[in-house]
Amino acid sequence: MEDFRKWVVRAAEWGVDYRARLRELPVRPPVQPGEIAAKIAPSPPEAPEPFEKVFADFERDIAPGMTHWQHPRFFAYFPSNSAPASLIAEHLVNAIGAVCMLWQTSPAATELETRAVDWLRQAFGLPDSFQGCIQDTASTATLAAVLVMRERALDFTGNQTGLSNTPRLRIYCSAEAHSSIDRAIWFSGIGADNLVRIPIKGPLRGADPDALRSLIAEDIAAGFKPAGVIANVGATGVGATDPVAELAAIAREHDLYLHVDAAWAGSAMICPELRHLWAGAEHADSIVVNAHKWLGAQTHCSAHFVRDPASLTRTLAAKPDYLHTLGLSEVVNYSEWGVPLGRQFRALKLWFVLRAYGLEGLRTMIRNHITWSRALCEKLRATPSFEIVTEPAYSLFSFRYINASTDLDTLNLQLVETINADGRIYLTQTRVDGRVAIRFQVGQFECTEADVMSAYDVITEISEQL
Ligand SMILES: *Cc1c(COP(=O)(O)O)cnc(C)c1O
């Protein structure tokens, strides 16, 4: 294309300007379904179009229809950080455009991945018995873990024979677990009926170990075959955290594979004072932490730690002739550690982020987010028309607006929608013990205390207008 340099520079500069003016934009765009599609030509052009026009259409029709995940007042879902250093790394990765499935399809990508993941392991205080790779998402890391659970329990025969003549496998997790776990159970052929929910107890809404023990005993007595346990560290709804050490002890007793889903909260484990919250994770078989949520590196960057890579590759690696790397039997081919074959160069952004901000810089960010989230929680607690539903877990708490209405669920859903349509902040809701609660998480890379506290004014102002 003509003027390649001009447009690359223009795109990079557009990104810098975009980031600089985010605070002025509504976090969620004020668009209706179908509104953007209506602006896009229904058919592709036969002849090349001037790039000036392509770029102008992007600026006019597409950019304003985006939800701004890097907006400092994005308090919905979980954060999806894209720190400036990560964005710069991605510019380079995009320029190179490599597919990093085998060592020989990009030696530097593979070797940097090994190092960067080991840096993270050290940053989280995990023992050097763990190795790891960077999966695209926590969903596929968890799918890989569940497939290993299946194969281990079937003596690595399931891939060959299927599940029709095997004992019924059972996997255990609490009701707080993320929907990616349900889906991994479906896709693995184990079936949702065999995902056993462990009751929760206590303020952390963690799985009850005694209940797990009884469930396993009942399943064994019924002729089922327990295969694995999935523990939450900071589950999505309200940050539920299981007693990992106790679950690990039970898993060990029964030779079950233990996977820890710390997709969001795992990043906080760079702070030594928070590690008690996942004590026992060092005994897990598999742990996933999305560095693309709360650790600066943009999506996709799920660190997947495993204690026994051989069980992972034995489950997942296919070796057709065209993937053979002759004479290179000692190298790591990371595509054998996950579900997709093709892989992006994901380690560069992690390496850039860890170096550009240092662990101390990242710890300061996480500690600030937790402090500010607590401060907002206290302010809402002290406001008569609000109640705190779940206490701050890391930087996430939930609250509810209360007035004389008899239908508080509808009222709170209406409050969330009105706040999001207003655009100054962005929130999401969940259900806690069957009732609607509004979630508030602090995690955007560049948000400030003022951004967080401004949410108080928006929430109270809009609630009074309902
Ligand atoms: C976000 C999240 C997931 C899913 O992460 P993806 O990377 O989007 O697949 C799974 N578990 C928890 C606890 C999460 O917060």
Side-chain angles (χ1 to χ4, degrees):
M1 109 180 227
E2 97 271 24
D3 289 336
F4 179 48
R5 179 179 301 276
K6 170 184 143 187
W7 287 108
V8 168
V9 171
R10 176 93 180 264
E13 285 175 347
W14 184 92
V16 174
D17 295 338
Y18 167 77
R19 292 289 179 97
R21 69 189 166 92
L22 274 175
R23 271 200 182 78
E24 299 152 28
L25 302 176
V27 192
R28 196 187 70 177
V31 299
Q32 297 304 314
E35 194 179 320
I36 307 293
K39 296 178 181 176
I40 303 168
S43 311
E46 291 294 339
E49 296 190 65
F51 208 72
E52 193 77 53
K53 184 167 183 315
V54 177
F55 202 92
D57 288 354
F58 158 74
E59 286 190 281
R60 192 190 59 233
D61 298 336
I62 306 298
M66 295 303 290
T67 297
H68 306 296
W69 283 73
Q70 305 314 316
H71 196 300
R73 294 191 303 275
F74 182 102
F75 304 118
Y77 306 99
F78 278 138
S80 187
N81 290 172
S82 166
S86 167
L87 185 156
I88 294 164
E90 289 290 76
H91 280 314
L92 303 176
V93 165
N94 288 336
I96 298 169
V99 178
C100 308
M101 55 194 186
L102 307 172
W103 178 88
Q104 73 172 12
T105 66
S106 271
T110 299
E111 296 187 11
L112 183 60
E113 183 162 335
T114 307
R115 271 281 192 271
V117 171
D118 196 63
W119 280 16
L120 267 193
R121 175 193 67 72
Q122 296 173 47
F124 294 149
L126 291 170
D128 62 8
S129 45
F130 281 98
Q131 296 176 52
C133 67
I134 308 178
Q135 308 278 13
D136 51 1
T137 61
S139 300
T140 53
T142 295
L143 175 58
V146 167
L147 292 169
V148 175
M149 289 177 189
R150 185 191 79 190
E151 287 307 292
R152 258 182 100 252
L154 299 178
D155 220 1
F156 294 89
T157 60
N159 280 341
Q160 184 63 40
T161 63
L163 302 188
S164 29
N165 290 312
T166 60
R168 254 175 87 171
L169 302 182
R170 302 290 259 185
I171 289 178
Y172 307 85
C173 71
S174 95
E176 298 284 322
H178 188 266
S179 55
S180 57
I181 289 156
D182 299 84
R183 297 169 72 225
I185 300 295
W186 306 342
F187 305 158
S188 64
I190 292 171
D193 289 350
N194 297 309
L195 180 62
V196 184
R197 300 292 179 171
I198 316 164
I200 57 169
K201 67 168 193 187
L204 298 182
R205 303 180 73 83
D208 177 354
D210 293 331
L212 174 59
R213 255 178 231 288
S214 327
L215 289 168
I216 293 173
E218 284 164 27
D219 280 350
I220 293 172
F224 299 150
K225 187 158 180 37
V229 178
I230 298 170
N232 301 310
V233 172
T236 308
V238 291
T241 294
D242 294 338
V244 180
E246 290 175 76
L247 302 190
I250 299 170
R252 199 164 340 118
E253 261 168 54
H254 292 279
D255 191 28
L256 306 183
Y257 194 87
L258 176 66
H259 173 64
V260 174
D261 179 4
W264 162 63
S267 293
M269 300 309 162
I270 61 170
C271 303
E273 75 275 17
L274 295 173
R275 289 187 193 146
H276 66 97
L277 287 163
W278 80 351
E282 67 276 15
H283 301 303
D285 296 289
S286 162
I287 304 172
V288 65
V289 178
N290 281 357
H292 65 240
K293 275 183 170 150
W294 202 11
L295 210 60
Q298 68 213 73
T299 197
H300 294 141
C301 197
S302 293
H304 185 196
F305 300 100
V306 289
R307 272 202 298 151
D308 177 23
S311 60
L312 193 59
T313 54
R314 220 176 143 189
T315 301
L316 299 175
K319 294 208 186 219
D321 286 338
Y322 51 80
L323 291 179
H324 278 180
T325 49
L326 297 175
L328 290 173
S329 56
E330 298 307 309
V331 298
V332 185
N333 294 318
Y334 279 126
S335 57
E336 297 177 354
W337 294 46
V339 175
L341 172 62
R343 322 171 77 240
Q344 270 189 326
F345 181 11
R346 303 187 190 113
L348 194 70
K349 57 195 165 192
L350 185 56
W351 191 55
F352 272 32
V353 163
L354 292 172
R355 296 183 63 188
Y357 307 104
L359 292 177
E360 263 313 308
L362 296 167
R363 285 185 193 112
T364 301
M365 172 190 74
I366 284 181
R367 287 172 181 145
N368 281 341
H369 291 168
I370 292 174
T371 305
W372 301 336
S373 165
R374 293 210 166 127
L376 180 69
C377 176
E378 291 318 314
K379 222 169 154 185
L380 282 170
R381 196 196 306 277
T383 308
S385 48
F386 287 90
E387 67 181 9
I388 300 307
V389 178
T390 55
E391 295 297 322
Y394 317 89
S395 65
L396 167 68
F397 68 94
S398 66
F399 65 95
R400 184 180 292 134
Y401 178 49
I402 41 175
N403 67 10
S405 160
T406 51
D407 187 357
L408 287 177
D409 282 0
T410 305
L411 182 73
N412 277 277
L413 291 176
Q414 203 188 340
L415 177 58
V416 172
E417 186 42 39
T418 314
I419 287 172
N420 293 342
D422 171 83
R424 281 174 287 172
I425 63 173
Y426 185 28
L427 303 177
T428 39
Q429 72 288 331
T430 186
R431 274 183 191 271
V432 179
D433 301 328
R435 296 175 57 203
V436 171
I438 303 178
R439 295 169 78 258
F440 195 96
Q441 69 74 26
V442 182
Q444 202 282 324
F445 200 77
E446 279 157 334
C447 98
T448 64
E449 185 170 14
D451 288 317
V452 176
M453 298 321 282
S454 76
Y456 180 83
D457 302 329
V458 177
I459 293 166
T460 50
E461 179 195 309
I462 292 178
S463 67
E464 281 158 19
Q465 293 163 5
L466 276 192

